[in-house]
Short mmCIF file of all heavy atoms in Angstrom, two decimals:
data_model
loop_
_atom_site.label_atom_id
_atom_site.label_comp_id
_atom_site.label_asym_id
_atom_site.label_seq_id
_atom_site.Cartn_x
_atom_site.Cartn_y
_atom_site.Cartn_z
N MET A 153 0.84 -1.16 0.01
CA MET A 153 0.00 0.00 0.02
C MET A 153 0.93 1.23 0.02
O MET A 153 1.93 1.28 0.69
CB MET A 153 -0.90 0.01 1.25
CG MET A 153 -1.68 1.27 1.31
SD MET A 153 -2.50 1.73 2.83
CE MET A 153 -3.18 0.32 3.52
N THR A 154 0.55 2.20 -0.76
CA THR A 154 1.29 3.48 -0.87
C THR A 154 0.47 4.57 -0.16
O THR A 154 -0.71 4.76 -0.47
CB THR A 154 1.55 3.89 -2.27
OG1 THR A 154 2.28 2.80 -2.93
CG2 THR A 154 2.35 5.14 -2.33
N LEU A 155 1.11 5.27 0.81
CA LEU A 155 0.47 6.36 1.49
C LEU A 155 1.15 7.64 1.01
O LEU A 155 2.36 7.81 1.11
CB LEU A 155 0.66 6.25 3.01
CG LEU A 155 -0.01 4.98 3.65
CD1 LEU A 155 0.33 4.90 5.15
CD2 LEU A 155 -1.53 5.06 3.48
N TYR A 156 0.35 8.55 0.57
CA TYR A 156 0.84 9.93 0.14
C TYR A 156 0.48 10.84 1.29
O TYR A 156 -0.65 11.25 1.38
CB TYR A 156 0.22 10.32 -1.17
CG TYR A 156 0.66 9.45 -2.34
CD1 TYR A 156 -0.16 8.48 -2.78
CD2 TYR A 156 1.91 9.64 -2.92
CE1 TYR A 156 0.25 7.69 -3.85
CE2 TYR A 156 2.29 8.85 -3.94
CZ TYR A 156 1.43 7.79 -4.38
OH TYR A 156 1.86 6.97 -5.46
N THR A 157 1.44 11.15 2.10
CA THR A 157 1.21 11.96 3.34
C THR A 157 2.45 12.77 3.66
O THR A 157 3.57 12.26 3.36
CB THR A 157 0.73 11.12 4.48
OG1 THR A 157 0.59 11.90 5.63
CG2 THR A 157 1.73 9.96 4.71
N PRO A 158 2.30 13.93 4.27
CA PRO A 158 3.53 14.62 4.79
C PRO A 158 4.06 14.07 6.06
O PRO A 158 5.09 14.52 6.51
CB PRO A 158 3.01 16.05 4.96
CG PRO A 158 1.53 15.91 5.21
CD PRO A 158 1.08 14.73 4.43
N LEU A 159 3.37 13.12 6.60
CA LEU A 159 3.83 12.55 7.88
C LEU A 159 4.95 11.53 7.71
O LEU A 159 5.03 10.92 6.68
CB LEU A 159 2.67 11.84 8.64
CG LEU A 159 1.43 12.68 9.00
CD1 LEU A 159 0.38 11.80 9.57
CD2 LEU A 159 1.86 13.74 9.98
N SER A 160 5.76 11.48 8.72
CA SER A 160 6.88 10.49 8.71
C SER A 160 6.25 9.07 8.90
O SER A 160 5.22 8.91 9.46
CB SER A 160 7.77 10.79 9.85
OG SER A 160 8.47 9.66 10.29
N GLU A 161 6.96 8.05 8.36
CA GLU A 161 6.44 6.68 8.51
C GLU A 161 6.41 6.30 10.00
O GLU A 161 5.62 5.44 10.40
CB GLU A 161 7.32 5.71 7.76
CG GLU A 161 8.67 5.41 8.37
CD GLU A 161 9.41 4.37 7.64
OE1 GLU A 161 9.95 4.71 6.54
OE2 GLU A 161 9.51 3.24 8.10
N HIS A 162 7.21 6.92 10.83
CA HIS A 162 7.25 6.63 12.25
C HIS A 162 6.02 7.23 12.99
O HIS A 162 5.63 6.74 14.04
CB HIS A 162 8.53 7.10 12.92
CG HIS A 162 9.75 6.52 12.28
ND1 HIS A 162 10.06 5.19 12.33
CD2 HIS A 162 10.72 7.05 11.49
CE1 HIS A 162 11.18 4.91 11.70
NE2 HIS A 162 11.56 6.10 11.16
N ASP A 163 5.47 8.30 12.38
CA ASP A 163 4.24 8.86 12.95
C ASP A 163 3.04 7.95 12.62
O ASP A 163 2.06 7.87 13.38
CB ASP A 163 3.98 10.26 12.43
CG ASP A 163 4.98 11.24 12.89
OD1 ASP A 163 5.54 11.03 13.99
OD2 ASP A 163 5.28 12.21 12.20
N ILE A 164 3.05 7.32 11.47
CA ILE A 164 2.00 6.44 11.08
C ILE A 164 2.07 5.08 11.77
O ILE A 164 1.10 4.51 12.19
CB ILE A 164 1.97 6.28 9.54
CG1 ILE A 164 1.77 7.65 8.86
CG2 ILE A 164 0.88 5.33 9.11
CD1 ILE A 164 1.98 7.64 7.41
N PHE A 165 3.32 4.54 11.82
CA PHE A 165 3.59 3.25 12.44
C PHE A 165 4.58 3.43 13.53
O PHE A 165 5.75 3.17 13.49
CB PHE A 165 4.16 2.27 11.42
CG PHE A 165 3.31 2.17 10.14
CD1 PHE A 165 3.78 2.66 8.94
CD2 PHE A 165 2.11 1.52 10.17
CE1 PHE A 165 3.06 2.52 7.79
CE2 PHE A 165 1.39 1.36 9.03
CZ PHE A 165 1.86 1.91 7.81
N PRO A 166 4.09 3.93 14.70
CA PRO A 166 5.03 4.27 15.82
C PRO A 166 5.64 2.99 16.39
O PRO A 166 5.01 2.04 16.55
CB PRO A 166 4.19 5.01 16.83
CG PRO A 166 2.78 4.59 16.56
CD PRO A 166 2.70 4.24 15.07
N GLN A 167 6.90 3.14 16.86
CA GLN A 167 7.64 2.06 17.56
C GLN A 167 7.58 2.38 19.01
O GLN A 167 7.85 3.54 19.40
CB GLN A 167 9.11 1.98 17.00
CG GLN A 167 9.19 1.69 15.56
CD GLN A 167 8.69 0.28 15.20
OE1 GLN A 167 8.89 -0.67 15.95
NE2 GLN A 167 8.05 0.19 14.10
N PRO A 168 7.27 1.40 19.86
CA PRO A 168 7.33 1.70 21.26
C PRO A 168 8.64 1.89 21.79
O PRO A 168 9.64 1.29 21.33
CB PRO A 168 6.68 0.41 21.88
CG PRO A 168 6.92 -0.62 20.88
CD PRO A 168 6.92 0.02 19.54
N TYR A 169 8.82 2.85 22.68
CA TYR A 169 10.10 3.15 23.31
C TYR A 169 10.15 2.47 24.65
O TYR A 169 9.22 2.55 25.44
CB TYR A 169 10.34 4.66 23.49
CG TYR A 169 10.63 5.39 22.25
CD1 TYR A 169 9.64 5.96 21.45
CD2 TYR A 169 11.98 5.46 21.77
CE1 TYR A 169 9.94 6.64 20.24
CE2 TYR A 169 12.25 6.13 20.56
CZ TYR A 169 11.25 6.69 19.85
OH TYR A 169 11.56 7.28 18.69
N LYS A 170 11.21 1.71 24.89
CA LYS A 170 11.36 1.02 26.16
C LYS A 170 11.97 1.84 27.26
O LYS A 170 11.89 1.52 28.42
CB LYS A 170 12.19 -0.28 25.93
CG LYS A 170 11.56 -1.20 24.96
CD LYS A 170 12.40 -2.44 24.68
CE LYS A 170 11.67 -3.31 23.65
NZ LYS A 170 12.50 -4.39 23.19
N ASP A 171 12.66 2.92 26.86
CA ASP A 171 13.42 3.76 27.80
C ASP A 171 12.61 4.87 28.44
O ASP A 171 13.02 5.48 29.37
CB ASP A 171 14.63 4.39 27.14
CG ASP A 171 15.65 3.32 26.65
OD1 ASP A 171 15.61 2.20 27.19
OD2 ASP A 171 16.37 3.60 25.73
N GLY A 172 11.42 5.20 27.94
CA GLY A 172 10.63 6.27 28.48
C GLY A 172 9.40 6.59 27.59
O GLY A 172 9.04 5.85 26.66
N ASN A 173 8.81 7.67 27.86
CA ASN A 173 7.60 8.13 27.18
C ASN A 173 7.91 9.31 26.26
O ASN A 173 8.81 10.08 26.45
CB ASN A 173 6.53 8.59 28.16
CG ASN A 173 6.05 7.47 29.03
OD1 ASN A 173 5.96 6.36 28.59
ND2 ASN A 173 5.79 7.81 30.25
N ILE A 174 7.13 9.39 25.12
CA ILE A 174 7.28 10.50 24.19
C ILE A 174 6.43 11.67 24.77
O ILE A 174 5.34 11.52 25.07
CB ILE A 174 6.78 10.13 22.78
CG1 ILE A 174 7.56 8.87 22.31
CG2 ILE A 174 6.84 11.24 21.82
CD1 ILE A 174 9.02 9.17 22.08
N VAL A 175 7.11 12.82 24.77
CA VAL A 175 6.47 14.07 25.17
C VAL A 175 6.86 15.18 24.20
O VAL A 175 7.85 15.07 23.53
CB VAL A 175 6.84 14.54 26.61
CG1 VAL A 175 6.28 13.54 27.66
CG2 VAL A 175 8.34 14.70 26.74
N PHE A 176 6.01 16.16 24.11
CA PHE A 176 6.26 17.32 23.24
C PHE A 176 6.53 18.51 24.17
O PHE A 176 5.70 18.82 25.03
CB PHE A 176 5.13 17.58 22.28
CG PHE A 176 4.90 16.46 21.30
CD1 PHE A 176 4.12 15.41 21.53
CD2 PHE A 176 5.60 16.52 20.07
CE1 PHE A 176 3.95 14.40 20.65
CE2 PHE A 176 5.46 15.51 19.16
CZ PHE A 176 4.63 14.47 19.41
N GLU A 177 7.66 19.17 23.95
CA GLU A 177 8.04 20.34 24.76
C GLU A 177 8.19 21.55 23.89
O GLU A 177 8.63 21.48 22.74
CB GLU A 177 9.37 20.08 25.49
CG GLU A 177 9.28 18.98 26.52
CD GLU A 177 8.67 19.38 27.78
OE1 GLU A 177 8.78 20.58 28.15
OE2 GLU A 177 8.01 18.50 28.42
N ASN A 178 7.91 22.72 24.49
CA ASN A 178 8.23 24.00 23.86
C ASN A 178 9.53 24.49 24.46
O ASN A 178 9.60 24.89 25.63
CB ASN A 178 7.10 24.98 24.03
CG ASN A 178 7.25 26.19 23.23
OD1 ASN A 178 8.08 26.25 22.30
ND2 ASN A 178 6.45 27.23 23.50
N TYR A 179 10.63 24.43 23.75
CA TYR A 179 11.93 24.79 24.19
C TYR A 179 12.56 25.85 23.33
O TYR A 179 12.68 25.65 22.10
CB TYR A 179 12.80 23.54 24.28
CG TYR A 179 14.19 23.75 24.78
CD1 TYR A 179 14.39 24.02 26.12
CD2 TYR A 179 15.32 23.63 23.96
CE1 TYR A 179 15.68 24.17 26.66
CE2 TYR A 179 16.54 23.79 24.43
CZ TYR A 179 16.75 24.08 25.81
OH TYR A 179 17.99 24.25 26.27
N LYS A 180 12.95 27.01 23.84
CA LYS A 180 13.44 28.10 23.08
C LYS A 180 12.55 28.50 21.96
O LYS A 180 12.96 28.70 20.81
CB LYS A 180 14.85 27.76 22.52
CG LYS A 180 15.97 27.60 23.54
CD LYS A 180 17.27 27.48 22.81
CE LYS A 180 18.41 27.47 23.75
NZ LYS A 180 19.70 27.39 23.07
N ASN A 181 11.26 28.56 22.22
CA ASN A 181 10.22 29.00 21.28
C ASN A 181 10.14 28.01 20.02
O ASN A 181 9.76 28.38 19.02
CB ASN A 181 10.37 30.42 20.77
CG ASN A 181 10.19 31.38 21.87
OD1 ASN A 181 9.34 31.19 22.78
ND2 ASN A 181 10.93 32.48 21.90
N CYS A 182 10.48 26.78 20.29
CA CYS A 182 10.50 25.77 19.26
C CYS A 182 9.84 24.50 19.84
O CYS A 182 10.20 24.06 20.95
CB CYS A 182 11.91 25.48 18.78
SG CYS A 182 12.04 24.21 17.56
N GLN A 183 8.98 23.91 19.12
CA GLN A 183 8.36 22.64 19.49
C GLN A 183 9.34 21.48 19.18
O GLN A 183 9.81 21.35 18.11
CB GLN A 183 7.06 22.43 18.76
CG GLN A 183 6.26 21.28 19.19
CD GLN A 183 5.43 21.53 20.46
OE1 GLN A 183 5.34 22.66 20.92
NE2 GLN A 183 4.88 20.51 21.08
N VAL A 184 9.58 20.61 20.19
CA VAL A 184 10.48 19.49 20.06
C VAL A 184 9.82 18.24 20.62
O VAL A 184 9.04 18.27 21.57
CB VAL A 184 11.86 19.68 20.79
CG1 VAL A 184 12.65 20.71 19.99
CG2 VAL A 184 11.74 20.01 22.20
N LYS A 185 10.05 17.09 19.95
CA LYS A 185 9.54 15.83 20.40
C LYS A 185 10.66 15.22 21.20
O LYS A 185 11.81 15.10 20.75
CB LYS A 185 9.23 14.95 19.18
CG LYS A 185 8.71 13.58 19.42
CD LYS A 185 8.41 12.90 18.11
CE LYS A 185 7.99 11.50 18.27
NZ LYS A 185 7.73 10.87 16.97
N CYS A 186 10.35 14.83 22.44
CA CYS A 186 11.42 14.35 23.38
C CYS A 186 11.06 12.95 23.91
O CYS A 186 9.91 12.57 23.99
CB CYS A 186 11.55 15.28 24.53
SG CYS A 186 12.03 16.91 24.08
N LEU A 187 12.11 12.30 24.41
CA LEU A 187 11.97 11.05 25.10
C LEU A 187 12.15 11.39 26.59
O LEU A 187 13.22 11.81 27.00
CB LEU A 187 13.01 10.04 24.64
CG LEU A 187 12.97 8.67 25.35
CD1 LEU A 187 11.70 7.98 24.98
CD2 LEU A 187 14.17 7.88 24.78
N ASP A 188 11.09 11.22 27.40
CA ASP A 188 11.13 11.55 28.81
C ASP A 188 11.63 10.32 29.55
O ASP A 188 10.93 9.25 29.53
CB ASP A 188 9.75 12.00 29.30
CG ASP A 188 9.78 12.46 30.71
OD1 ASP A 188 10.81 12.44 31.38
OD2 ASP A 188 8.66 12.87 31.18
N GLN A 189 12.78 10.43 30.26
CA GLN A 189 13.36 9.28 30.94
C GLN A 189 12.61 9.06 32.32
O GLN A 189 12.96 8.08 32.95
CB GLN A 189 14.81 9.53 31.16
CG GLN A 189 15.63 9.66 29.89
CD GLN A 189 15.69 8.37 29.14
OE1 GLN A 189 15.71 7.31 29.70
NE2 GLN A 189 15.81 8.48 27.82
N GLY A 190 11.83 9.99 32.73
CA GLY A 190 11.09 9.86 34.00
C GLY A 190 11.80 10.36 35.23
O GLY A 190 11.21 10.51 36.27
N ASN A 191 13.04 10.75 35.05
CA ASN A 191 13.78 11.25 36.23
C ASN A 191 14.10 12.75 36.01
O ASN A 191 15.09 13.28 36.51
CB ASN A 191 15.07 10.47 36.49
CG ASN A 191 15.99 10.39 35.21
OD1 ASN A 191 15.58 10.98 34.20
ND2 ASN A 191 17.07 9.74 35.34
N GLY A 192 13.29 13.43 35.19
CA GLY A 192 13.48 14.86 34.91
C GLY A 192 14.37 15.06 33.69
O GLY A 192 14.58 16.20 33.31
N LYS A 193 14.94 14.01 33.09
CA LYS A 193 15.77 14.15 31.88
C LYS A 193 14.98 13.89 30.64
O LYS A 193 14.20 12.96 30.59
CB LYS A 193 16.96 13.13 31.95
CG LYS A 193 17.89 13.37 33.19
CD LYS A 193 18.96 12.37 33.19
CE LYS A 193 19.98 12.75 32.16
NZ LYS A 193 21.18 11.85 32.19
N LYS A 194 15.14 14.78 29.67
CA LYS A 194 14.43 14.67 28.40
C LYS A 194 15.44 14.80 27.27
O LYS A 194 16.21 15.75 27.28
CB LYS A 194 13.34 15.73 28.28
CG LYS A 194 12.23 15.53 29.32
CD LYS A 194 11.24 16.63 29.26
CE LYS A 194 10.23 16.40 30.36
NZ LYS A 194 9.51 17.58 30.67
N GLN A 195 15.41 13.89 26.33
CA GLN A 195 16.30 13.90 25.21
C GLN A 195 15.53 14.18 23.98
O GLN A 195 14.46 13.65 23.70
CB GLN A 195 17.00 12.53 25.13
CG GLN A 195 18.08 12.47 24.03
CD GLN A 195 18.77 11.18 24.02
OE1 GLN A 195 18.23 10.13 24.41
NE2 GLN A 195 20.00 11.13 23.59
N ILE A 196 16.07 15.14 23.16
CA ILE A 196 15.41 15.55 21.93
C ILE A 196 15.47 14.41 20.88
O ILE A 196 16.52 13.84 20.58
CB ILE A 196 16.07 16.84 21.39
CG1 ILE A 196 15.85 17.97 22.33
CG2 ILE A 196 15.40 17.17 19.97
CD1 ILE A 196 16.53 19.27 21.96
N LEU A 197 14.31 14.09 20.29
CA LEU A 197 14.17 13.12 19.20
C LEU A 197 14.03 13.78 17.90
O LEU A 197 14.53 13.31 16.89
CB LEU A 197 13.02 12.17 19.45
CG LEU A 197 13.12 11.26 20.69
CD1 LEU A 197 11.83 10.45 20.86
CD2 LEU A 197 14.37 10.34 20.61
N GLN A 198 13.26 14.88 17.91
CA GLN A 198 12.86 15.50 16.61
C GLN A 198 12.50 16.93 16.80
O GLN A 198 11.83 17.28 17.84
CB GLN A 198 11.66 14.79 16.01
CG GLN A 198 11.26 15.23 14.65
CD GLN A 198 10.09 14.43 14.07
OE1 GLN A 198 9.45 13.63 14.79
NE2 GLN A 198 9.76 14.69 12.87
N VAL A 199 12.95 17.82 15.96
CA VAL A 199 12.60 19.25 15.97
C VAL A 199 11.35 19.43 15.08
O VAL A 199 11.37 18.96 13.96
CB VAL A 199 13.77 20.14 15.50
CG1 VAL A 199 13.37 21.56 15.41
CG2 VAL A 199 14.97 19.97 16.37
N LEU A 200 10.35 20.08 15.62
CA LEU A 200 9.11 20.35 14.85
C LEU A 200 8.96 21.85 14.66
O LEU A 200 8.32 22.47 15.51
CB LEU A 200 7.89 19.75 15.61
CG LEU A 200 8.06 18.26 15.97
CD1 LEU A 200 6.94 17.88 16.91
CD2 LEU A 200 8.03 17.42 14.67
N SER A 201 9.48 22.39 13.60
CA SER A 201 9.45 23.82 13.43
C SER A 201 9.39 24.17 11.94
O SER A 201 9.87 23.39 11.10
CB SER A 201 10.71 24.40 14.01
OG SER A 201 10.84 25.80 13.75
N THR A 202 8.86 25.30 11.66
CA THR A 202 8.83 25.84 10.29
C THR A 202 9.94 26.89 10.09
O THR A 202 10.08 27.36 8.98
CB THR A 202 7.46 26.47 9.92
OG1 THR A 202 7.20 27.47 10.87
CG2 THR A 202 6.42 25.35 9.94
N ASN A 203 10.68 27.18 11.14
CA ASN A 203 11.73 28.14 11.10
C ASN A 203 13.09 27.42 10.76
O ASN A 203 13.57 26.65 11.56
CB ASN A 203 11.89 28.89 12.41
CG ASN A 203 12.88 29.99 12.36
OD1 ASN A 203 13.61 30.16 11.42
ND2 ASN A 203 12.98 30.76 13.47
N PRO A 204 13.69 27.71 9.63
CA PRO A 204 14.92 26.98 9.25
C PRO A 204 16.10 27.22 10.22
O PRO A 204 16.95 26.41 10.35
CB PRO A 204 15.31 27.59 7.89
CG PRO A 204 14.08 28.22 7.34
CD PRO A 204 13.26 28.59 8.57
N THR A 205 16.13 28.36 10.88
CA THR A 205 17.24 28.58 11.86
C THR A 205 17.18 27.65 13.09
O THR A 205 18.19 27.42 13.71
CB THR A 205 17.31 30.02 12.30
OG1 THR A 205 16.03 30.39 12.89
CG2 THR A 205 17.54 30.98 11.12
N ASP A 206 15.98 27.15 13.39
CA ASP A 206 15.87 26.20 14.51
C ASP A 206 16.66 24.92 14.25
O ASP A 206 17.20 24.35 15.17
CB ASP A 206 14.40 25.85 14.83
CG ASP A 206 13.66 26.99 15.41
OD1 ASP A 206 14.27 27.89 16.01
OD2 ASP A 206 12.42 27.01 15.31
N TYR A 207 16.75 24.52 13.02
CA TYR A 207 17.47 23.32 12.63
C TYR A 207 18.97 23.52 12.70
O TYR A 207 19.72 22.54 12.66
CB TYR A 207 17.02 22.83 11.27
CG TYR A 207 15.57 22.36 11.29
CD1 TYR A 207 14.54 23.24 10.93
CD2 TYR A 207 15.25 21.05 11.64
CE1 TYR A 207 13.25 22.80 10.99
CE2 TYR A 207 13.92 20.65 11.68
CZ TYR A 207 12.91 21.51 11.39
OH TYR A 207 11.59 21.08 11.40
N MET A 208 19.42 24.82 12.64
CA MET A 208 20.87 25.04 12.71
C MET A 208 21.38 25.28 14.12
O MET A 208 22.53 25.33 14.38
CB MET A 208 21.14 26.31 11.88
CG MET A 208 20.80 26.18 10.39
SD MET A 208 21.60 24.81 9.60
CE MET A 208 23.29 25.35 9.62
N ASP A 209 20.45 25.35 15.14
CA ASP A 209 20.82 25.54 16.51
C ASP A 209 21.38 24.27 17.08
O ASP A 209 20.70 23.25 17.12
CB ASP A 209 19.61 26.02 17.33
CG ASP A 209 19.90 26.38 18.75
OD1 ASP A 209 21.03 26.14 19.19
OD2 ASP A 209 19.03 26.94 19.37
N PRO A 210 22.65 24.19 17.57
CA PRO A 210 23.27 22.98 18.08
C PRO A 210 22.55 22.45 19.31
O PRO A 210 22.62 21.30 19.59
CB PRO A 210 24.70 23.35 18.30
CG PRO A 210 24.77 24.80 18.19
CD PRO A 210 23.60 25.30 17.48
N THR A 211 21.90 23.36 20.04
CA THR A 211 21.20 22.88 21.29
C THR A 211 19.89 22.23 20.99
O THR A 211 19.34 21.64 21.92
CB THR A 211 20.98 24.02 22.29
OG1 THR A 211 20.18 25.01 21.64
CG2 THR A 211 22.36 24.68 22.68
N LEU A 212 19.41 22.33 19.80
CA LEU A 212 18.17 21.69 19.39
C LEU A 212 18.30 20.45 18.52
O LEU A 212 17.34 19.94 17.98
CB LEU A 212 17.24 22.74 18.58
CG LEU A 212 16.72 23.90 19.49
CD1 LEU A 212 16.01 24.86 18.56
CD2 LEU A 212 15.83 23.36 20.54
N GLN A 213 19.48 19.99 18.40
CA GLN A 213 19.74 18.79 17.55
C GLN A 213 19.25 17.50 18.28
O GLN A 213 19.30 17.43 19.46
CB GLN A 213 21.25 18.67 17.20
CG GLN A 213 21.75 19.81 16.39
CD GLN A 213 21.05 20.02 15.15
OE1 GLN A 213 20.87 19.07 14.35
NE2 GLN A 213 20.57 21.24 14.86
N PRO A 214 18.72 16.56 17.49
CA PRO A 214 18.35 15.27 18.05
C PRO A 214 19.51 14.59 18.81
O PRO A 214 20.65 14.61 18.34
CB PRO A 214 17.92 14.39 16.84
CG PRO A 214 17.49 15.42 15.87
CD PRO A 214 18.38 16.62 16.10
N GLY A 215 19.20 14.02 19.98
CA GLY A 215 20.23 13.42 20.79
C GLY A 215 20.68 14.37 21.96
O GLY A 215 21.21 13.89 22.95
N GLN A 216 20.42 15.65 21.87
CA GLN A 216 20.77 16.62 22.94
C GLN A 216 19.79 16.47 24.08
O GLN A 216 18.61 16.10 23.89
CB GLN A 216 20.76 18.05 22.40
CG GLN A 216 21.77 18.30 21.34
CD GLN A 216 23.25 18.18 21.86
OE1 GLN A 216 23.48 18.52 23.02
NE2 GLN A 216 24.06 17.62 21.07
N TRP A 217 20.27 16.76 25.24
CA TRP A 217 19.39 16.72 26.44
C TRP A 217 18.89 18.13 26.74
O TRP A 217 19.63 19.14 26.54
CB TRP A 217 20.17 16.24 27.64
CG TRP A 217 20.59 14.84 27.50
CD1 TRP A 217 21.79 14.40 26.92
CD2 TRP A 217 19.89 13.66 27.74
NE1 TRP A 217 21.85 12.99 26.94
CE2 TRP A 217 20.68 12.58 27.46
CE3 TRP A 217 18.61 13.41 28.33
CZ2 TRP A 217 20.18 11.22 27.60
CZ3 TRP A 217 18.15 12.15 28.52
CH2 TRP A 217 18.97 11.05 28.13
N LEU A 218 17.62 18.27 27.13
CA LEU A 218 17.07 19.56 27.45
C LEU A 218 17.54 20.10 28.79
O LEU A 218 17.75 19.25 29.73
CB LEU A 218 15.55 19.51 27.54
CG LEU A 218 14.80 19.30 26.18
CD1 LEU A 218 13.29 19.31 26.47
CD2 LEU A 218 15.17 20.31 25.15
N ASP A 219 17.88 21.33 28.86
CA ASP A 219 18.25 21.96 30.15
C ASP A 219 16.96 22.12 30.96
O ASP A 219 16.02 22.71 30.52
CB ASP A 219 18.86 23.32 29.91
CG ASP A 219 20.16 23.25 29.09
OD1 ASP A 219 20.80 22.18 29.17
OD2 ASP A 219 20.46 24.22 28.37
N SER A 220 16.99 21.58 32.18
CA SER A 220 15.80 21.70 33.02
C SER A 220 15.90 22.81 34.04
O SER A 220 16.90 23.19 34.42
CB SER A 220 15.55 20.39 33.75
OG SER A 220 15.31 19.33 32.85
#
């Protein structure tokens, strides 16, 4: 089956995360999808922005930890 959609295949067929829960945070005026470890630590998984400069910010790159 072919799906024509702007969504990622991971949004359509999500994989469960064993390390924590998926949360959406507003960080530096940018929406980010994070993995919440449950102990106050959140790791960025995906940047959700229409501003191209958000993707160039090294603190918003996937794999970075949010400052709490």
Side-chain angles (χ1 to χ4, degrees):
M153 175 195 318
T154 302
L155 297 174
Y156 295 99
T157 176
L159 299 175
S160 154
E161 73 177 75
H162 303 292
D163 292 332
I164 298 169
F165 307 109
Q167 299 294 321
Y169 285 94
K170 297 177 184 172
D171 297 336
N173 296 324
I174 301 296
V175 293
F176 293 90
E177 293 285 328
N178 191 11
Y179 182 70
K180 292 187 174 184
N181 294 325
C182 177
Q183 187 80 9
V184 290
K185 181 178 174 182
C186 298
L187 181 63
D188 187 358
Q189 300 290 331
N191 55 1
K193 296 179 79 176
K194 295 176 184 159
Q195 187 175 26
I196 297 174
L197 296 175
Q198 183 178 10
V199 177
L200 305 168
S201 176
T202 57
N203 185 353
T205 58
D206 288 338
Y207 293 93
M208 300 302 292
D209 186 350
T211 62
L212 292 175
Q213 296 302 309
Q216 296 294 324
W217 295 92
L218 290 184
D219 298 331
S220 298

